[in-house]
Amino acid sequence: MKLTICMALFCGSVYAATTSNPRPEDVEVELTTPKPIGFSETGMEKLMRRFDQLDRKLLDLQNVVKRHENTIQRLEQDVGRNLSVILDQQTSCATLEQALHSFKSRTPECVTPTINATQPKEAELPTYASCKDVPANVSGVYLIRINNASAPFKVYCEMDKFEGGWIVLQHRFNGSVDFNRNWDQYRDGFGELDSEFWIGLEHIHQLTTARKFELLVVLKDFYTNYGYARYSAFQVGSESDQYSLKTLGSYSGTAGDSLIQHKGKMFSTKDRDNDESLTDNYAVSYEGAWWHGGGYSSLNGPYENIDDFNSNWWFTLRNDIRGMSFSRMMIREI
């Protein structure tokens, strides 16, 4: 009996165990196909489709950005090529401009003069009969008109030294200008008014013939010896007179009179021998134009610190023919 009861209990417990615990197959199914809380199977499918759509749109945007990047890269390459072309064109234009400038420099008639905007035009400058009439007490370049019928021309006015009012005819101080020139150049003038220059024999003739002038010669050698020679009258003849030294007044000063022996002499240049020597052209021998004739001066000779005829000398300054480091010839209306 007890055995029967025990068997019944055992079988009952086995049955209960088998009915209360799920099968392994059922557990596996539940784990692989869970049902999310709060979501139906239809909602999940819609959400997945939405994710797919967003993923495709993101991929499309990435493709658009890639295309734009390629376009920008091509544009940058095009800009670089165009910039190279422009630079090449600018270089070609600069080369052409240089060539044109070089061509103009060889053909003066093609050159258009430039006028400094800060300076008044020459036509706007006032004109004076001589430097003595200039109201400003400032040395510099001014326009001089000899008479109403003549054209004005520029001169350098010395307004500070020797009471001012002087027209500078010749100025030498550093040897930067070659004074061994021909007849035409001495007639017309050469150099720059703010540097070394010769004003021109024709201007000297016109000035000294129209009105009365005195002459001042200022000198200094290379050893700081200084002197001046002043003449109460000065006149130069016309070109037909070979620009002879027609008038030379009385002397005063500290440099000695080394010009009186040249009075009445004609002007000589290396290509026009007007001196009185039958065997020599002093303008060639002394390498400078002057009123030559065996006198005591030659201020247009070579700029040299030597004691020799081939220099710019004034004998009576130190009683020798040493070269001058500075010379200035000036006239002032009396």
Side-chain angles (χ1 to χ4, degrees):
M1 183 69 177
K2 289 180 180 180
L3 180 61
T4 302
I5 294 169
C6 289
M7 289 296 293
L9 291 171
F10 174 76
C11 290
S13 63
V14 170
Y15 176 77
T18 57
T19 57
S20 61
N21 295 323
R23 294 175 302 174
E25 293 82 357
D26 295 333
V27 173
E28 183 178 0
V29 170
E30 290 176 358
L31 291 174
T32 56
T33 58
K35 295 182 180 180
I37 299 175
F39 288 94
S40 65
E41 290 183 357
T42 303
M44 179 59 114
E45 290 174 355
K46 290 181 178 180
L47 182 61
M48 293 303 294
R49 284 195 300 272
R50 183 61 176 166
F51 282 150
D52 290 339
Q53 292 172 355
L54 291 175
D55 187 66
R56 285 194 298 272
K57 288 183 177 181
L58 178 61
L59 182 60
D60 292 338
L61 287 174
Q62 290 176 343
N63 291 333
V64 170
V65 171
K66 185 66 176 178
R67 288 196 299 272
H68 284 312
E69 289 177 347
N70 293 336
T71 302
I72 291 173
Q73 186 176 6
R74 288 194 302 272
L75 289 174
E76 290 176 345
Q77 293 174 352
D78 292 339
V79 170
R81 285 192 296 270
N82 292 335
L83 182 59
S84 298
V85 171
I86 292 172
L87 291 176
D88 291 340
Q89 290 176 346
Q90 289 179 342
T91 302
S92 299
C93 289
T95 303
L96 179 60
E97 185 177 357
Q98 291 174 356
L100 181 59
H101 177 73
S102 177
F103 172 75
K104 286 184 175 181
S105 66
R106 294 193 297 269
T107 55
E109 65 275 10
C110 297
V111 178
T112 301
T114 58
I115 298 175
N116 190 337
T118 62
Q119 298 293 331
K121 297 179 182 179
E122 183 170 320
E124 299 173 353
L125 292 174
T127 59
Y128 305 97
S130 70
C131 291
K132 192 174 181 180
D133 297 328
V134 174
N137 192 27
V138 179
S139 298
V141 178
Y142 295 89
L143 277 178
I144 296 297
R145 186 192 300 273
I146 298 173
N147 53 56
N148 294 332
S150 64
F153 59 92
K154 291 181 179 180
V155 301
Y156 189 92
C157 293
E158 173 55 60
M159 306 301 294
D160 300 322
K161 310 299 182 182
F162 294 92
E163 297 86 37
W166 298 92
I167 299 174
V168 181
L169 306 182
Q170 184 243 44
H171 192 196
R172 304 186 73 181
F173 59 93
N174 60 10
S176 60
V177 174
D178 181 14
F179 272 65
N180 191 15
R181 305 292 185 108
N182 61 29
W183 180 265
D184 291 347
Q185 291 169 311
Y186 267 96
R187 179 192 62 205
D188 301 334
F190 55 84
E192 299 296 334
L193 292 176
D194 58 353
S195 182
E196 294 194 334
F197 69 92
W198 173 264
I199 195 175
L201 289 165
E202 185 60 31
H203 284 152
I204 297 174
H205 161 67
Q206 292 178 7
L207 285 166
T208 58
T209 302
R211 290 181 293 277
K212 293 182 178 181
F213 283 86
E214 60 178 324
L215 171 68
L216 178 66
V217 181
V218 183
L219 306 160
K220 185 172 68 173
D221 66 14
F222 285 90
Y223 305 96
T224 69
N225 294 304
Y226 165 85
Y228 70 91
R230 192 167 185 170
Y231 298 89
S232 60
F234 178 71
Q235 185 182 10
V236 171
S238 65
E239 186 171 16
S240 61
D241 295 326
Q242 306 303 305
Y243 296 118
S244 61
L245 183 52
K246 296 182 66 174
T247 302
L248 188 67
S250 58
Y251 160 83
S252 64
T254 61
D257 185 0
S258 288
L259 197 57
I260 189 61
Q261 295 86 358
H262 301 265
K263 181 180 178 180
K265 306 298 182 184
M266 294 181 290
F267 200 84
S268 291
T269 60
K270 61 183 180 180
D271 60 336
R272 186 171 298 195
D273 183 5
N274 287 323
D275 62 52
E276 297 172 352
S277 174
L278 299 178
T279 59
D280 201 0
N281 180 354
Y282 287 116
V284 174
S285 301
Y286 296 168
E287 299 180 36
W290 195 245
W291 293 278
H292 287 299
Y296 282 70
S297 60
S298 179
L299 290 183
N300 290 330
Y303 188 89
E304 297 284 351
N305 183 14
I306 58 175
D307 190 357
D308 190 90
F309 286 109
N310 297 109
S311 65
N312 53 328
W313 46 277
W314 186 271
F315 182 82
T316 55
L317 179 66
R318 301 296 292 178
N319 293 324
D320 55 24
I321 51 176
R322 66 180 64 188
M324 298 291 108
S325 67
F326 176 93
S327 67
R328 215 174 191 190
M329 299 176 63
M330 304 184 289
I331 59 174
R332 182 171 63 180
E333 186 178 359
I334 301 172

